[in-house]
Amino acid sequence: MILEHSPCLTNAEAEQLARDRFGQRGWARALTSERDQNFLIESGDHAPPLVLKIANALEERGLLEAQQHVLAVLAQRGLPVPRVVCTTTGDAITEQSGKDGRRHYVWGVTYLPGGLLADVRYRSPALVEDLGATVGRLTAALALVDSPALERDFHWDLTRAWERVAATRPSISDGALGEAIDATLARVKRHVTPMSGKLRRAVIHNDLNDHNILIAADRVSGVVDFGDMLYGWRVADLAIAAAYAMLDADDPLGILGALVRGAQDECTLDDGELEVLFELACLRLALSASIALEQQAARPDNAYLGVSQSAIHRTLPRLMRVPHALAAAVARGAAGREPVAHSVAVREWLQANRSTFAPVLGVDLRTEPSIVLDLGVASPLISGNEEENAEPGLTPRIASAKRVAGVRVAVGRYDEARLLYTAPFFAGARPESERRTIHIGLDLFADAGTPVHAPFDGVVHAFANNAVPQDYGPAIILRHETHESAPFFTLYGHLSRTSLDGLALGQHIAKGERFAWLGAPNENVGWTPHLHLQIITDLLGLGTDFPGVAAASQRVVWRSLSPDPNLVVGIPEDRFPPAEPDRLRTIAARRDRLGGNLSIAYRSAVKVERGWMQYLFDDTGRRFIDAYNNVPHVGHCHPRVVRAGQTQMAILNTNTRYPSDLVNEYAERLRATLPAPLQSGVVYLVSSASEANELALRLARARTGERDMIVLEAAYHGNTTSLIDISPYKHGGPGGCGAPDWVHIAPIADDYRGPFKRNDADAGAKYAKPIAALVARAHNRGRGIAGFIAESCPSVGGQIVFPPGYLSAAYAIVREAGGVCIADEVQTGLGRVGTHFWAFEAQGVVPDIVVTGKPLGNGHPLAAVVARREIAEAFDNGMEYFSTFGGNQVSCAIGLAVLDVVRDEELQEHARSVGERLLNDLRSFVTRHELVGDVRGSGLFLGVELVRDPVTLEPAEAEASYVVNRMRDEGILTGTDGPYHNVVKIRPPMPFDRGNADRLVETFDRVLAEIVSPA
Ligand SMILES: Cc1ncc(COP(=O)(O)O)c(C=O)c1O
């Protein structure tokens, strides 16, 4: 056995060998190897490290020479592979005798930078594609190598793996693994063996497992360990890379597709190679399991031998549940081929014979009027509330659309992203993962009992009552043989139960024959009566379990597996609306039309098409937990708010020049939420918080006769000219011109980053002290202070919670100087901080002016300024005040509805309890993740500050951006903030609940763990 001949040098012996033969002084560290020994020799000075390789005693010199030749060829072709380092006497290979007298060949190579792919916890699609591209380049370069020494008999040879795996199968005791190996062997026999003579052969690396691939900056930086090379199937390298990349992957077919996409550009894969790729990947895993079993018995001490085994035990059974034809279609689609080769012929046959087909519902929809419904994500027929889309909610809406159009049949579109599929069996790997949303049939809505006719001759291939809610209910599949195309199938779902009575497999159904009837909701598992008609080019062995809805990421494949059924029905194309632009086209149009400095969230922008409470849905129907948007305060599209706006819009919407009880009522309700004396203050209604803050400045100046303002470091108060002047976050940042001389910037009271820490009881007063110096500065210039403006919890400042006593001390200094104190509550008002309705209340102060905006209109542009009466009186100086849109009746109706919902749904208390738990859970990160420096906030206004060093607090900006983008990938929307953009901010719509909080914590935790550098 080869392992008995493995070398066993100590580190000290390796160090001596490196010194004696290569002149390399340094410390040795053992690297992993199956049957050889590899040491990394590092000197600690600037000399490049050396990888010292001591071969197994059975290794032939010719093989080592072949390896060295290949490395030279690959390096020449620009592949990231090690270079051979010669000994001090100029030899590429030298020898060393072991203690047992055995002779081992010794050689050296350069060390490549990067961590092991095996240690990369998140493999981005871009990284997997880059791995595919690297393998593709390797495959192309290896095709140039001719080395007789590599024609060899080797236990890792995939071309002979079937026999080897079959031979060890009896000793595999693990039931699930054994079954998966049986399935692998059967599939290989069926799909690979007949092809084996046709598969191209070449020299291959033969061990592209994730311990032999190096990664740096999310790209492949090295390919190492060429010791397993041999002549084999050329596609085996990609298959082996796929095998290890798919281990424990949530979406193995996504990985397979990304690898092929990458490889295809570098070396064209032929049809046969694409056909066998997945099966060869599975065969490699089965081979690994077999060999590990033998080796571990021989060398139980070598942990590397079992390194992938538990993942293989978990993964191979899952992979065996993927139908062969589906995996092959994914590979073909990724390579730019038609995923199901004969789908083209089926479509051509249908197209050519279209005029001869019998009408499926007995009504010829080629000529009869019909209405094409929009049941997509942004359709007005659909609700964001899933309960309203279930029967009986949707049925009257569809019936009404039919009635209005005066038609018997309404059509639900093919290839449409829908929110209708909420049953568990449509879900992805995790609750917020991509679900199946793309409808790949055509729906024909008609009355229950409407007969269904065969469009052309067929035989009954399968039928069943799939009685799980949201499944097909009673369904029939017909098989169609044609002379011109391969056989294909048509599927008829949501039938009546009686449709299955007396049906027999193989039964012939003639063209035009009535063979089924539409089911009612109580028998079609809860759908509005309709026929789900689907064409299937390859049944994947699934029978009536063949999906009618696919994942958007596999759209290309499923469109080939199930082409458009309108090829059968023939509804005129002009009845279908034009396709909406895809995400990339929308982004490009936006860039062109809306200006370059309009920022866009996330590296991969989300094209949001619908909102519902604390959720957003993109154009593919993917659901995101919205943990970012505080504007839809009571929840996206809250029905009470929507209704209030719609109702008032139909009655009156005008301006404040006309007295209105509705406007008065809103002003009263809003000020009643404030403490005295603001409760009897004056309310100005405007249409943005920028407009509100502008007005607040004018009010302060009118009251004091002064112009100068004191503002906080890193503050943002709005987008107008004067507000940029009082916003250091903007005027001190890119494109800014600094503060004008009437603006005085006070340090932010940040008790994590600033000089006074949380354990200092006087921190609040200490942070306020510099304000006195700013007052003095203004006085020295012969001016007074108009006011002090501060967010009650600075948001862009980094989700800061002031230390106790800060605002009271600051207000006292400002008031002493005759200034007005303005609380910018734009981010935090209306119960968000949980403990109080307004965040300033937590500081025990009462401002002179309160400015609020974002949450007031739940997305409708409504903002307000509430000022003490005496300030308002000073402002009432003869100049008319008017805001065209501010205080219109629609805004006020919406504002009232928001206040009602906050009260009736007890959202402040909800924010307190959910926020408290979330804060506590997030706080546990501080001890578990080195990157997490601070977790702070109140209610549903939280920040997690990431730092690279707990002492210097070096901001971890790139890491925060990584977290936010990865959370987005995982279906949770957050953002970054703070002057260093290193604070992850969590500021969801208020209905955000405990379940959402738990999902956020679990995902955040997992994503943070991905950043940890490999051990
Ligand atoms: C604290 C604060 N004040 C004022 C504004 C300006 O609000 P608007 O964009 O509605 O003018 C913002 C906006 O982000 C803000 O965060």
Side-chain angles (χ1 to χ4, degrees):
M1 166 112 190
I2 192 162
L3 297 184
E4 288 158 15
H5 299 264
S6 298
C8 44
L9 266 65
T10 62
N11 283 11
E13 287 165 339
E15 285 159 12
Q16 188 181 349
L17 196 58
R19 202 165 49 239
D20 294 351
R21 306 290 173 86
F22 294 86
Q24 175 94 4
R25 296 176 178 279
W27 307 108
R29 175 158 66 88
L31 303 174
T32 53
S33 176
E34 180 203 20
R35 58 187 184 279
D36 305 324
Q37 263 191 313
N38 295 328
F39 292 94
L40 178 65
I41 312 289
E42 286 177 296
S43 65
D45 57 26
H46 293 300
L50 172 81
V51 177
L52 182 69
K53 298 173 75 68
I54 300 115
N56 189 285
L58 298 184
E59 195 69 289
E60 291 165 26
R61 187 180 176 100
L63 275 176
L64 297 183
E65 286 168 351
Q67 254 190 77
Q68 296 193 340
H69 169 62
V70 167
L71 287 178
V73 171
L74 296 178
Q76 216 176 17
R77 304 264 308 187
L79 275 136
V81 295
R83 314 265 174 138
V84 174
V85 177
C86 289
T87 63
T88 46
T89 53
D91 298 316
I93 299 174
T94 176
E95 292 178 14
Q96 166 79 355
S97 294
K99 282 190 212 75
D100 51 5
R102 283 183 189 142
R103 197 200 50 190
H104 297 274
Y105 291 114
V106 174
W107 55 301
V109 292
T110 53
Y111 178 71
L112 297 180
L116 298 181
L117 175 60
D119 293 329
V120 176
R121 302 205 194 164
Y122 171 67
R123 294 159 184 194
S124 69
L127 173 60
V128 179
E129 218 168 296
D130 190 53
L131 174 60
T134 308
V135 179
R137 282 163 58 209
L138 187 73
T139 303
L142 286 174
L144 306 174
V145 173
D146 183 17
S147 180
L150 296 174
E151 283 284 6
R152 59 176 176 144
D153 186 9
F154 186 50
H155 58 286
W156 283 105
D157 183 356
L158 261 193
T159 64
R160 299 174 202 181
W162 194 97
E163 291 73 16
R164 190 174 187 103
V165 174
T168 32
R169 168 64 185 96
S171 38
I172 291 180
S173 51
D174 179 312
L177 180 68
E179 275 174 32
I181 287 184
D182 288 340
T184 307
L185 290 172
R187 285 170 59 145
V188 168
K189 187 151 224 118
R190 177 138 181 240
H191 302 291
V192 182
T193 310
M195 306 276 301
S196 60
K198 295 185 215 125
L199 292 174
R200 286 182 282 181
R201 294 172 71 91
V203 170
I204 57 170
H205 177 286
N206 200 32
D207 195 15
L208 292 175
N209 79 62
D210 48 6
H211 286 79
N212 289 337
I213 310 277
L214 305 176
I215 304 295
D218 205 38
R219 290 292 177 276
V220 175
S221 61
V223 179
V224 297
D225 194 354
F226 286 71
D228 286 3
M229 281 194 303
L230 45 70
Y231 273 92
W233 290 317
R234 171 184 186 271
V235 71
D237 272 344
L238 192 60
I240 293 167
Y244 293 92
M246 290 192 295
L247 287 180
D248 282 333
D250 283 348
D251 176 18
L253 288 183
I255 301 270
L256 187 79
L259 282 171
V260 172
R261 249 190 320 279
Q264 178 66 20
D265 289 341
E266 307 292 339
C267 82
T268 309
L269 299 158
D270 66 27
D271 283 351
E273 289 168 337
L274 292 165
E275 178 80 20
V276 300
L277 180 63
F278 181 80
E279 306 309 331
L280 288 185
C282 296
L283 181 61
R284 167 66 186 219
L285 296 180
L287 179 63
S288 173
S290 302
I291 291 177
L293 204 72
E294 292 171 9
Q295 291 184 335
Q296 277 173 320
R299 290 282 297 268
D301 52 318
N302 187 337
Y304 178 65
L305 299 176
V307 72
S308 304
Q309 292 313 307
S310 47
I312 291 176
H313 287 216
R314 286 189 296 270
T315 306
L316 195 58
R318 280 179 59 215
L319 296 183
M320 280 300 106
R321 288 197 285 276
V322 176
H324 162 77
L326 179 59
V330 166
R332 288 178 56 85
R337 313 279 165 83
E338 177 72 36
V340 180
H342 70 267
S343 183
V344 182
V346 172
R347 294 195 309 257
E348 282 172 0
W349 184 86
L350 289 167
Q351 188 76 41
N353 295 281
R354 210 168 175 168
S355 61
T356 68
F357 300 158
V360 178
L361 289 189
V363 183
D364 190 349
L365 294 175
R366 287 170 294 203
T367 49
E368 271 270 334
S370 62
I371 175 176
V372 175
L373 301 174
D374 175 1
L375 299 176
V377 179
S379 166
L381 280 176
I382 297 298
S383 171
N385 178 0
E386 63 182 63
E387 283 161 23
E388 290 179 10
N389 293 329
E391 172 64 23
L394 188 56
T395 302
R397 303 202 288 275
I398 291 179
S400 149
K402 265 168 61 187
R403 206 169 37 249
V404 170
V407 294
R408 280 195 284 168
V409 177
V411 179
R413 292 181 294 177
Y414 166 75
D415 196 28
E416 182 174 66
R418 295 180 174 176
L419 302 182
L420 302 177
Y421 309 109
T422 51
F425 67 94
F426 294 105
R430 302 173 201 273
E432 302 312 317
S433 303
E434 178 187 46
R435 306 172 64 83
R436 292 189 289 128
T437 53
I438 309 295
H439 184 241
I440 49 173
L442 192 75
D443 290 329
L444 300 176
F445 292 91
D447 294 339
T450 303
V452 179
H453 306 258
F456 26 75
D457 287 353
V459 296
V460 176
H461 181 80
F463 60 91
N465 184 1
N466 289 13
V468 181
Q470 297 199 349
D471 205 326
Y472 292 131
I476 299 173
I477 296 179
L478 301 185
R479 177 182 162 96
H480 309 282
E481 305 277 351
T482 73
H483 294 302
E484 295 89 346
S485 84
F488 67 96
F489 305 85
T490 48
L491 181 150
Y492 307 80
H494 314 308
L495 304 172
S496 69
R497 263 187 234 118
T498 51
S499 304
L500 308 186
D501 293 347
L503 217 55
L505 293 179
Q507 178 182 334
H508 185 260
I509 308 282
K511 170 177 151 184
E513 184 178 333
R514 189 178 64 184
F515 69 99
W517 292 264
L518 295 199
N522 63 359
E523 53 186 351
N524 78 1
V525 285
W527 293 102
T528 302
H530 73 283
L531 174 70
H532 171 94
L533 174 65
Q534 190 169 337
I535 302 172
I536 299 168
T537 54
D538 190 322
L539 248 188
L540 306 174
L542 295 177
T544 55
D545 288 333
F546 193 91
V549 179
S553 59
Q554 288 183 6
R555 216 164 179 161
V556 172
V557 170
W558 288 95
R559 284 171 60 102
S560 183
L561 280 160
S562 278
D564 186 352
N566 202 32
L567 287 166
V568 174
V569 179
I571 300 158
E573 287 303 328
D574 58 10
R575 296 217 189 127
F576 291 86
E580 62 180 49
D582 66 17
R583 196 173 64 101
L584 296 180
R585 272 169 55 209
T586 302
I587 293 169
R590 169 196 148 104
R591 199 173 296 126
D592 173 49
R593 295 171 205 173
L594 301 187
N597 51 358
L598 205 61
S599 72
I600 194 159
Y602 309 112
R603 242 170 256 144
S604 171
V606 187
K607 185 178 173 187
V608 180
E609 291 207 336
R610 185 178 280 277
W612 177 252
M613 307 311 274
Q614 67 274 43
Y615 301 105
L616 287 170
F617 299 86
D618 75 4
D619 56 332
T620 69
R622 168 123 193 238
R623 189 180 87 164
F624 293 85
I625 295 177
D626 182 0
Y628 179 78
N629 289 295
N630 57 347
V631 173
H633 189 67
V634 298
H636 292 277
C637 307
H638 192 292
R640 283 179 72 181
V641 178
V642 171
R643 224 176 301 120
Q646 285 173 336
T647 306
Q648 185 57 41
M649 204 176 287
I651 299 171
L652 174 70
N653 195 27
T654 182
N655 63 64
T656 45
R657 290 215 171 97
Y658 305 98
S660 160
D661 292 331
L662 182 61
V663 180
N664 288 349
E665 185 188 351
Y666 181 60
E668 182 52 37
R669 284 280 302 277
L670 184 63
R671 73 179 185 176
T673 63
L674 289 159
L678 290 165
Q679 231 169 49
S680 53
V682 171
V683 179
Y684 299 88
L685 297 172
V686 291
S687 48
S688 78
S690 294
E691 192 185 346
N693 271 330
E694 275 288 347
L695 182 58
L697 284 189
R698 288 180 64 197
L699 285 160
R701 286 169 175 168
R703 168 73 176 164
T704 59
E706 299 290 349
R707 182 163 183 243
D708 285 30
M709 292 294 300
I710 297 174
V711 303
L712 295 186
E713 249 176 350
Y716 175 68
H717 295 292
N719 62 27
T720 62
T721 307
S722 335
L723 298 182
I724 295 296
D725 283 345
I726 64 163
S727 298
Y729 180 75
K730 290 286 178 195
H731 68 230
C737 303
D741 79 332
W742 56 270
V743 173
H744 308 277
I745 302 173
I748 192 163
D750 175 352
D751 58 10
Y752 172 65
R753 230 165 229 293
F756 314 114
K757 302 296 180 194
R758 229 158 268 171
N759 54 8
D760 180 346
D762 296 328
K766 287 178 182 167
Y767 277 112
K769 219 165 162 200
I771 293 175
L774 297 177
V775 171
R777 189 172 84 148
H779 286 167
N780 290 341
R781 293 178 185 171
R783 302 198 300 254
I785 293 292
F788 166 72
I789 181 167
E791 281 188 88
S792 310
C793 288
S795 183
V796 291
Q799 305 290 100
I800 306 288
V801 180
F802 293 140
Y806 170 69
L807 276 185
S808 54
Y811 279 18
I813 298 169
V814 173
R815 284 180 174 144
E816 173 71 25
V820 163
C821 295
I822 306 171
D824 182 332
E825 282 275 347
V826 171
Q827 298 263 2
T828 42
L830 266 56
R832 171 158 301 276
V833 294
T835 52
H836 300 84
F837 198 81
W838 299 99
F840 64 74
E841 294 174 293
Q843 284 273 310
V845 292
V846 180
D848 303 310
I849 298 176
V850 172
V851 173
T852 174
K854 291 184 189 292
L856 290 193
N858 212 44
H860 180 85
L862 171 60
V865 182
V866 185
R868 286 182 190 233
R869 188 154 293 278
E870 60 274 23
I871 297 177
E873 280 163 4
F875 181 58
D876 184 9
N877 59 4
M879 181 192 285
E880 188 213 7
Y881 168 72
F882 179 62
S883 167
T884 301
F885 299 118
N888 67 67
Q889 286 82 1
V890 171
S891 296
C892 292
I894 286 174
L896 279 171
V898 170
L899 291 176
D900 287 347
V901 175
V902 171
R903 178 197 59 210
D904 296 349
E905 297 185 11
E906 298 176 358
L907 290 180
Q908 181 184 326
E909 170 52 23
H910 176 81
R912 194 200 57 74
S913 69
V914 175
E916 193 173 275
R917 174 176 157 140
L918 181 54
L919 189 67
N920 281 336
D921 287 352
L922 291 171
R923 280 201 172 126
S924 71
F925 289 2
V926 177
T927 46
R928 282 190 294 120
H929 296 286
E930 277 179 19
L931 264 180
V932 178
D934 191 32
V935 178
R936 55 182 173 253
S938 179
L940 289 175
F941 183 84
L942 305 175
V944 179
E945 180 151 1
L946 304 189
V947 292
R948 294 197 187 119
D949 185 318
V951 178
T952 64
L953 307 189
E954 181 192 351
E957 178 183 348
E959 292 84 345
S961 164
Y962 177 87
V963 165
V964 163
N965 280 292
R966 279 285 297 120
M967 299 261 281
R968 173 248 178 270
D969 295 343
E970 298 287 313
I972 298 181
L973 303 181
T974 55
T976 55
D977 231 328
Y980 310 105
H981 311 286
N982 66 324
V983 179
V984 176
K985 76 173 161 194
I986 299 162
R987 216 185 38 175
M990 299 277 271
F992 184 90
D993 61 24
R994 279 168 183 242
N996 302 138
D998 292 347
R999 291 285 308 129
L1000 185 146
V1001 171
E1002 182 274 318
T1003 308
F1004 202 157
D1005 201 9
R1006 188 155 43 86
V1007 167
L1008 279 169
E1010 291 168 9
I1011 306 177
V1012 173
S1013 52

